[in-house]
Amino acid sequence: MVLAPMAGITNAPFRVLCREQGAGLFVCEMITTRALVERNPKTMRMIRFDESEKPRSIQLYGVDPAVVGRAVRMIAEEDLADHVDLNFGCPVPKVTRRGGGSALPYKRNLLRRILREAVANAGPLPVTMKMRKGIDDDHLTYLDAGRIAVEEGVAAIALHARTAKQHYGGVADWEAIARLKEAVPEIPVLGNGDIWCADDALRMVARTGCDGVVVGRGCLGRPWLFKDLQNAFDGSPERARPTLGEVAGVMARHAEGLTGCFDIERYALADFRKHVGWYLKGFTVGSELRRELATAESLDGLRAGLARLEHDQPWPPNTDTPRGKSGERAKVLLPDGWLDDPWDCPVPDGDAESDISGG
């Protein structure tokens, strides 16, 4: 089981909370290759790992084969991580309109060049990739991309079973995961999409034959989902059902961890605000108290608000439902002429790199 990289979410404090729940691979926020090789200070802070994190996993996003190769070589030579994942799943318009993210695999030869450079420069580190089905239902790329990945020495593939056009809306096409597994039996295939509870993961594996699961939005405000996944794959029916008081304890630890990560307390609390609604989803909490928790400017203020919660309140039913952003795009923005020839090999400019989303 893998924690999907999510921009602004999967920093070290959140990864530690998830890792405590069960064994797996917990990937840092998506890192742009150009920013890494240029040693951008913000990027260098983003790749800091807690001393408890083993193995250390970095997801890279890049569009230029040479720059991707330099970034991977830097990670290997400087011992910055133990595993490199390459992102080809970002559906954000400002990325796809320049040929990056989930638009890039349509250019088969460019994809091949990027994968070849990454594997060649990785040394002993395994290189994996994450992708989507394609641009839209008329321009699917995942089967071709899977074969290219095998041929270039990629160690495993994760498929988010949506197209770029679907963005985060609609229903994930688990049958596509099954088709990819059949097409690339040489390497592990991981499934991603619509895993909101441990039983969803079991159903995905049973239906598709995939070798593991990648969980993104399902664990927002719910790091103990990884405990549920561990129990499910071990054959145990036990599921985590924390009380509101136990959730409050995790919220406090999360905010405290972010304070260490951001160094400045008010910045950490501002970053924590987006997590409050996810943690409290389904619980009965008054609007005034919710607002107080979401706007706390200090750890003491947050702790005071958490102390006012009804700590004995049990885990609410019917909360294994979608979390985070959703919705489908009317169309995918692409560079002019991008769909004319799937085999030409234009290298998008540096503006195609963005740290918005892991896809």
Side-chain angles (χ1 to χ4, degrees):
M1 54 193 187
V2 179
L3 168 64
M6 292 177 281
I9 304 294
T10 55
N11 45 36
F14 186 69
R15 294 196 306 268
V16 168
L17 290 174
C18 293
R19 183 180 293 274
E20 291 174 350
Q21 305 299 318
L25 190 66
F26 301 87
V27 188
C28 80
E29 299 175 79
M30 189 179 72
I31 302 297
T32 62
T33 55
R34 195 172 300 275
L36 181 61
V37 299
E38 293 174 355
R39 298 184 184 274
N40 176 279
K42 176 184 175 183
T43 296
M44 300 309 289
R45 287 194 300 271
M46 289 171 65
I47 62 172
R48 291 186 300 190
F49 290 89
D50 185 84
E51 61 182 13
S52 68
E53 294 190 78
K54 299 292 181 182
R56 300 161 300 163
S57 180
I58 286 179
Q59 187 186 73
L60 293 179
Y61 167 72
V63 297
D64 186 319
V67 178
V68 171
R70 288 169 57 195
V72 173
R73 184 169 65 252
M74 177 179 168
I75 291 170
E77 291 180 350
E78 299 182 22
D79 190 30
L80 299 179
D82 306 301
H83 161 246
V84 175
D85 186 54
L86 299 176
N87 176 279
F88 300 103
C90 182
V92 175
K94 69 179 292 185
V95 173
T96 61
R97 71 185 298 175
R98 297 185 181 276
S102 50
L104 193 147
Y106 186 77
K107 299 298 189 182
R108 275 71 165 175
N109 287 331
L110 177 58
L111 175 67
R112 185 182 295 278
R113 286 181 56 198
I114 290 174
L115 296 179
R116 183 171 295 174
E117 285 293 322
V119 172
N121 285 280
L125 302 185
V127 175
T128 61
M129 64 181 282
K130 184 184 179 189
M131 60 183 179
R132 285 183 174 239
K133 289 171 56 183
I135 293 172
D136 53 35
D137 287 337
D138 295 324
H139 301 91
L140 300 178
T141 56
Y142 69 104
L143 295 179
D144 283 349
R147 291 309 311 165
I148 292 170
V150 169
E151 292 163 6
E152 296 303 328
V154 170
I157 304 173
L159 177 63
H160 184 164
R162 286 182 168 87
T163 62
K165 183 177 184 296
Q166 282 184 275
H167 205 64
Y168 294 95
V171 177
D173 177 14
W174 289 3
E175 298 308 314
I177 300 170
R179 288 190 289 271
L180 180 62
K181 178 61 183 173
E182 293 174 356
V184 292
E186 301 94 332
I187 61 176
V189 170
L190 309 179
N192 176 221
D194 292 352
I195 296 178
W196 309 114
C197 66
D199 290 342
D200 289 336
L202 293 180
R203 283 190 290 270
M204 175 185 281
V205 172
R207 186 182 304 176
T208 69
C210 66
D211 301 283
V213 298
V214 179
V215 178
R217 294 173 296 153
C219 67
L220 296 176
R222 196 170 51 160
W224 47 87
L225 177 57
F226 287 95
K227 182 176 183 179
D228 288 352
L229 290 167
Q230 183 77 64
N231 287 337
F233 287 131
D234 287 343
S236 169
E238 182 182 352
R239 301 290 183 265
R241 294 293 181 264
T243 63
L244 183 53
E246 292 169 326
V247 171
V250 174
M251 293 174 70
R253 286 189 57 208
H254 193 167
E256 290 161 3
L258 288 172
T259 301
C261 183
F262 283 83
D263 297 326
I264 299 176
E265 187 171 300
R266 69 176 184 276
Y267 291 170
L269 270 295
D271 186 79
F272 183 69
R273 288 173 184 168
K274 59 179 172 282
H275 295 275
V276 171
W278 295 326
Y279 275 116
L280 298 180
K281 181 175 181 176
F283 286 106
T284 301
V285 179
S287 59
E288 181 179 339
L289 182 50
R290 282 180 180 267
R291 184 165 51 252
E292 178 182 330
L293 292 170
T295 58
E297 296 183 351
S298 69
L299 284 174
D300 286 343
L302 179 67
R303 293 187 188 109
L306 293 173
R308 291 169 52 203
L309 292 171
E310 183 186 345
H311 284 204
D312 292 337
Q313 190 176 146
W315 178 257
N318 303 318
T319 54
D320 294 336
T321 54
R323 293 165 176 252
K325 55 190 173 184
S326 60
E328 186 167 323
R329 300 289 182 182
K331 66 177 182 177
V332 180
L333 298 182
L334 299 168
D336 290 341
W338 189 254
L339 299 177
D340 293 347
D341 184 353
W343 300 105
D344 66 350
C345 195
V347 176
D349 62 37
D351 290 337
E353 295 201 14
S354 169
D355 59 2
I356 289 179
S357 168

